[in-house]
Amino acid sequence: MTATKPHATLEKWIWILIYGGLLTLILGIATGRENEALGWAMAVPGAVVAALGVVLIYVRSRLSSKK
């Protein structure tokens, strides 16, 4: 089964958001050991971005695939 163009673009953004958000979250946690304010400033947006990617997975599951 191949994804249509809008679905493929959405899927690309889903994985970019999830992996980018998790990477930023991890870097924020590691940075928080030295500079607590900077760590929080990185970890919280990273978690929000990763959560947005998860929400987009739900959105993609609700899109109808017209053939």
Side-chain angles (χ1 to χ4, degrees), residues 28-67:
I29 291 170
T31 303
R33 294 178 183 177
E34 295 295 321
N35 187 342
E36 187 175 349
L38 181 60
W40 278 105
M42 291 174 67
V44 171
V48 169
V49 168
L52 179 62
V54 172
V55 169
L56 285 179
I57 289 175
Y58 175 76
V59 169
R60 183 190 63 192
S61 74
R62 291 307 198 187
L63 291 176
S64 63
S65 58
K66 296 179 183 177
K67 292 185 178 180

Side-chain angles (χ1 to χ4, degrees), residues 8-47:
T9 303
L10 182 61
E11 189 165 333
K12 178 178 70 171
W13 276 106
I14 288 170
W15 294 113
I16 288 171
L17 290 173
I18 290 174
Y19 284 122
L22 290 177
L23 176 64
T24 307
L25 173 66
I26 300 283
L27 289 174
I29 291 170
T31 303
R33 294 178 183 177
E34 295 295 321
N35 187 342
E36 187 175 349
L38 181 60
W40 278 105
M42 291 174 67
V44 171

